[in-house]
Amino acid sequence: MAKKRTKEIISLVEGVSPGLFGQKYSSRDYRYEDSWGKNQFNSSFPASLVAYMGSIGINPIYICTNKKNDIIHKEIDTTTLLGVDPLGEDAYYNYEAEYYPYEQFYSATKKEKIDLVMINRCTELAVSGLEVKLTTLPDNTTKDLPECDYGSEIVVRSPTILFLACSICACYKNERGRSKLHATLNTIGTEIKNWSEIRQVLPHYDAIRKAILDVSSDITNKQVPLIIQPIWKTDKKLKDFADDCLDVFVWSNLSVIQMCLRETNADNDISRNQRTIIWLYKMLWDYTQFGKFNYTDIVNDLAYNYKTDKAFAISGKLTNPLMKCRELTKPRVSKYEIKNIILGDGQKLLSPERRFDAFIVSHPELFE
């Protein structure tokens, strides 16, 4: 049965239909209004921003780690990031989709979907699965600081930790690999009898944290992109786009661990960030024991008095030291280039419900 559409608007400007740069083949049809909602736009615009940057020779900044678990910056070209040339005939952009390569590692009440799955149309294989976080620069915690200290808040969903765990399991796929992972995780998994009981788990947190860092150090050379984080910069009053407006940062799976650890934790309780590290440990531990882990049970049973819809959030003051670089202070894509990414009057189909959408709609002169 064909998907129900709302309203179709075809641009009469040069005969170009509404669309987004580079997305010739996509699970979203940008001729229709229902492909421009807030949830859709927040992942589809960043994908086209990546494609556009690649087309003009700008590589995203890749945030990853070294053997000592220090954050380092590299560049990553867009074909390596997405697993396929984003402008090629083989690129298919599949949004809010299951990422099949990871499903062998976990069981769940329902399979979780990731923001963007790139599929190679020639081989019909999923070649990358990525979370997408469209973030504002600066956030409320850094707006009164010098530009070099600006940062963006990042909210990490619980399924992101699932995908993080699966990406690590993929480095230890055979029996020998699982044995090595088991040894690296040490014996903590056998020492905790009731993982849902804070008093039993908290005394072991430092050992859990060290074990996760040991695993991270072991697979430094195998880390993979996990989160695409575009930034859009405003002026100091947060009222207008900055001229130097857009750029893209990419977090590797291992750098997400470092993101989670950038918090001052309470002494007598388990914070959201600590819970995330505990979740990750338990997922990996169960994988070494049973060949897969039960994602639903781990997240629900190890809630520790928090809701489970998100794993944790990190403010701009804490992301700045991890992201700090010339590109954060002066993003490389101008606000005047937005019209090169949103095509065929697509901005007229936006129903602004979040700040980025609203800023675009309130600045029609950018499309003249």
Side-chain angles (χ1 to χ4, degrees):
M1 183 176 178
K3 178 182 176 183
K4 182 179 179 181
R5 299 293 184 182
T6 53
K7 179 173 62 174
E8 180 178 4
I9 299 180
I10 303 297
S11 171
L12 299 179
V13 179
E14 299 179 355
V16 178
S17 298
L20 287 166
F21 181 87
Q23 296 192 44
K24 185 174 181 180
Y25 305 104
S26 169
S27 60
R28 292 174 178 163
D29 189 337
Y30 299 111
R31 296 173 299 170
Y32 297 92
E33 191 176 44
D34 61 357
S35 289
W36 294 85
K38 65 178 182 180
N39 293 327
Q40 291 89 344
F41 188 70
N42 280 356
S43 55
S44 56
F45 177 85
S48 281
L49 174 60
V50 167
Y52 175 73
M53 289 173 61
S55 75
I56 59 175
I58 300 177
N59 291 328
I61 302 301
Y62 191 28
I63 305 172
C64 42
T65 61
N66 61 18
K67 278 282 187 182
K68 296 180 180 180
N69 289 313
D70 299 322
I71 287 287
I72 59 174
H73 288 183
K74 300 179 180 179
E75 289 189 358
I76 185 169
D77 70 84
T78 53
T79 297
T80 300
L81 169 60
L82 299 180
V84 62
D85 179 358
L87 300 181
E89 283 293 312
D90 290 338
Y92 184 86
Y93 296 76
N94 197 22
Y95 293 97
E96 298 293 332
E98 296 175 9
Y99 187 52
Y100 299 108
Y102 284 168
E103 292 186 357
Q104 61 187 298
F105 301 119
Y106 75 98
S107 59
T109 303
K110 63 181 181 66
K111 296 298 183 183
E112 292 291 344
K113 295 181 179 180
I114 201 165
D115 290 331
L116 174 62
V117 175
M118 293 301 297
I119 295 174
N120 186 312
R121 295 177 63 248
C122 179
T123 63
E124 298 184 349
L125 295 176
V127 290
S128 64
L130 297 155
E131 291 281 84
V132 181
K133 306 290 180 188
L134 179 61
T135 60
T136 312
L137 182 76
D139 71 346
N140 285 331
T141 69
T142 60
K143 62 183 176 63
D144 297 322
L145 301 178
E147 283 189 275
C148 62
D149 294 324
Y150 280 1
S152 297
E153 181 188 39
I154 300 176
V155 178
V156 176
R157 301 188 311 136
S158 300
T160 306
I161 308 309
L162 163 65
F163 304 131
L164 168 57
C166 290
S167 71
I168 295 175
C169 292
C171 298
Y172 298 97
K173 282 206 294 190
N174 56 29
E175 186 174 342
R176 182 178 178 181
R178 282 170 53 194
S179 296
K180 182 180 181 182
L181 177 59
H182 181 81
T184 307
L185 292 173
N186 212 319
T187 60
I188 309 158
T190 60
E191 296 170 22
I192 299 173
K193 303 306 179 185
N194 185 353
W195 283 85
S196 63
E197 193 51 59
I198 292 177
R199 288 175 297 177
Q200 288 197 34
V201 178
L202 191 56
H204 295 278
Y205 177 74
D206 287 343
I208 290 171
R209 182 182 185 276
K210 181 182 183 303
I212 291 299
L213 290 174
D214 288 343
V215 171
S216 177
S217 180
D218 183 52
I219 59 173
T220 300
N221 295 331
K222 297 180 180 179
Q223 60 193 302
V224 295
L226 179 58
I227 296 176
I228 295 176
Q229 184 205 351
I231 56 169
W232 62 280
K233 185 179 178 183
T234 69
D235 62 12
K236 289 183 177 294
K237 295 181 179 179
L238 310 184
K239 299 293 185 182
D240 197 357
F241 287 122
D243 286 349
D244 50 336
C245 183
L246 294 161
D247 216 314
V248 172
F249 290 77
V250 176
W251 296 79
S252 79
N253 54 345
L254 303 185
S255 67
V256 174
I257 295 173
Q258 292 302 314
M259 184 197 303
C260 181
L261 293 174
R262 291 307 197 271
E263 179 202 48
T264 302
N265 297 312
D267 292 331
N268 300 315
D269 201 356
I270 291 176
S271 69
R272 281 187 178 273
N273 294 55
Q274 288 176 312
R275 182 185 70 172
T276 299
I277 296 298
I278 294 165
W279 278 353
L280 180 58
Y281 181 94
K282 187 66 163 65
M283 291 174 191
L284 298 180
W285 177 262
D286 285 1
Y287 169 68
T288 67
Q289 298 288 95
F290 310 114
K292 60 173 54 182
F293 58 87
N294 190 311
Y295 165 72
T296 306
D297 285 354
I298 289 173
V299 169
N300 289 339
D301 293 347
L302 281 59
Y304 303 135
N305 302 320
Y306 296 105
K307 293 182 179 180
T308 59
D309 55 330
K310 72 175 181 180
F312 66 94
I314 178 171
S315 72
K317 279 190 175 180
L318 296 178
T319 61
N320 173 272
L322 304 178
M323 299 173 66
K324 195 168 188 136
C325 61
R326 180 180 57 200
E327 292 78 11
L328 186 67
T329 302
K330 189 172 178 59
R332 295 167 290 176
V333 178
S334 160
K335 68 180 182 181
Y336 301 106
E337 295 174 84
I338 293 175
K339 66 183 178 183
N340 299 334
I341 303 168
I342 300 175
L343 307 175
D345 282 341
Q347 76 279 2
K348 295 179 179 178
L349 299 182
L350 288 170
S351 300
E353 299 176 66
R354 294 189 179 183
R355 290 183 64 201
F356 187 60
D357 312 46
F359 268 52
I360 288 174
V361 171
S362 64
H363 289 80
E365 73 279 1
L366 295 178
F367 295 88
E368 293 175 355

